[in-house]
Amino acid sequence: MNAEVEVVVTGVGAVTCHGVGADELWRAMTAAGTRLPDRPADPLALMDLPLINLVPDLDLPGLDLTSERATRFASLAAAEALADAGLDADALDAVRSAVVLGSCMGEPGVNERGRGGQRWEPPFRLASALADELGLFGTALDVANACAAGGYALGVAMDLVCAGEADVVIAGGSDAYSRVALGCFNRLGAVDPERCRPFESDRAGTVFAEGAGVVVVESAAHARARGALDSGDGRVLSLGGVGWSCDGDHPTAPREDGEQIVRAMRRALGEPPYDVGCVVPHGTGTRLNDVLESRLLRRVLGAGTGGGAGRVPLYSLKALLGHAGGASAALGVVAGALILRHGVVPGNVPVKEQDPECEVWLPEGAVPLEVRRVLVNAYGFGGNNASVVLAAADGSSSVGGCDG
């Protein structure tokens, strides 16, 4: 790794249950409305709670839940991110470029169509499909670290830039409806019958969601050479750090001591003091996750996450979107980028009664972003932990660099 390489995020794109586009996501964030989950039109979804927040129908025929939806979501989000970054296919072809996408289920549609008997296809082909669409011949990598996959994808992207293997990386995550995944969570008893309600006292599990989040990651040198750092409007952000760790303890539950989660956060945050203006938590709505993450955020950032003048606001994205699986961390990064660009933390979806064990601040109204630095957390089955830090790169905060 070259510790002198600086890494920036120059473009963002999103596809969510609220529609296509980062602007649609920001409108939903500022509206802070409650969205009830959908029931998929899948006659084979024979389970007690077939609930998921679906992306509104695009140009797919009907509402074919077994078509290649995850690929389409990734394509749309990437196209927006590239346009936002001011890059096109010719510009990508002229430099060392790569695609890294995280996903829980990859592209499950063709393998879940009907009751079997059709030809099996490898599900993790999102990155190669997007690279083929863009005409790229560099690295194309799918990351499958469960619900932390999008965070790991950002880490891989940063490593590729820091190692000098790529100048531009299209990175993020995408997940679509999967009958298998939803059925498994039903069997685990981990689906909330109402909606995704992180940090609420009577939460009863999570609710899945479709979606994709994609960002354009570049070396600051490449971005500067093409004039992307000249605008001074705060749209280009620093990828300040990515931290990974693994509990290696339980197939589905995090370690009770949270040591590896703390390690990932501190790795992403760098040297103390750990000043951040906002946290986009993993916050799934499951009983164990929300309490543990609340406790560990207070441990890392101090008691200010829960009370006092210096408290740190949390933006609970899954309360708005549901749990987008391997895309959730990438969407968290897009949301963090929008918060930094606008300089404000939107009000959260209202919480009926906050769990007293979750001592964190979930502002119901918009608050100014006091510190232009956002922490995004993601955790997954198998003990996979990832944290990502975004920061302003316009003079109010240093551009992120590799730590060697």
Side-chain angles (χ1 to χ4, degrees), residues 7-15 22 25 74 76-85 87 92 98-102 130 134 150-151 153-155 157-158 161 168-174 212-218 235 237-239 242 327 329-338 341 376 388 390:
V7 187
V8 294
V9 170
T10 54
V12 301
V15 174
L25 174 57
L76 288 167
E80 181 187 20
L82 287 167
D84 189 39
L87 292 168
L92 291 176
V99 178
V100 185
L101 294 176
L130 182 57
L134 296 172
L154 267 291
M158 188 172 187
V161 173
V168 178
V169 184
I170 301 159
S174 182
V214 173
V215 301
V216 175
V217 176
E218 296 184 58
R235 293 183 62 80
L237 304 169
S238 162
L239 183 53
V242 181
L331 282 166
V333 170
V334 173
L338 296 174
R341 285 180 174 184
V376 181
V388 180
L390 284 178

Side-chain angles (χ1 to χ4, degrees), residues 220-272:
H222 179 265
R224 189 174 292 110
R226 66 183 187 87
L229 301 184
D230 295 340
S231 64
D233 58 4
R235 293 183 62 80
V236 174
L237 304 169
S238 162
L239 183 53
V242 181
W244 302 343
S245 68
C246 185
D247 294 347
D249 185 60
H250 189 277
T252 61
R255 277 178 49 158
E256 290 185 11
D257 62 14
E259 287 297 330
Q260 294 304 315
I261 290 176
V262 168
R263 179 186 177 195
M265 281 195 276
R266 287 177 172 164
R267 177 75 171 180
L269 288 164
E271 295 297 322

Side-chain angles (χ1 to χ4, degrees), residues 133-182:
E133 178 182 317
L134 296 172
L136 305 181
F137 296 93
T139 299
L141 179 64
D142 280 286
V143 179
N145 292 68
C147 296
Y152 275 78
L154 267 291
V156 172
M158 188 172 187
D159 282 353
L160 287 170
V161 173
C162 289
E165 297 293 328
D167 302 303
V168 178
V169 184
I170 301 159
S174 182
D175 258 311
Y177 169 72
S178 164
R179 185 190 310 128
V180 170
L182 192 50

Side-chain angles (χ1 to χ4, degrees), residues 346-372:
N348 283 276
V349 173
V351 175
K352 288 183 295 185
E353 181 183 1
Q354 188 167 333
D355 186 341
E357 291 191 81
C358 298
E359 296 183 75
V360 290
W361 182 32
L362 298 164
E364 291 192 9
V367 297
L369 187 68
E370 299 289 350
V371 179
R372 300 201 63 195

Side-chain angles (χ1 to χ4, degrees), residues 17 35 37 51-54 103-105 145-150 174-178 181-182 185 190-192 195-198 205-212 281-286 289-290 316-332 377-381:
C17 59
R35 186 191 191 282
L51 304 177
I52 183 171
N53 290 355
L54 296 170
S103 183
C104 277
M105 300 302 292
N145 292 68
C147 296
S174 182
D175 258 311
Y177 169 72
S178 164
L182 192 50
F185 266 68
V191 179
D192 192 302
R195 59 183 178 84
C196 192
R197 299 176 292 157
T206 196
V207 171
F208 275 133
E210 293 187 311
H282 187 55
T284 60
T286 56
N289 174 89
D290 293 359
S316 180
L317 186 62
K318 290 182 181 64
L320 181 77
L321 304 181
H323 188 353
S328 60
L331 282 166
N377 287 334
Y379 313 125
F381 283 0

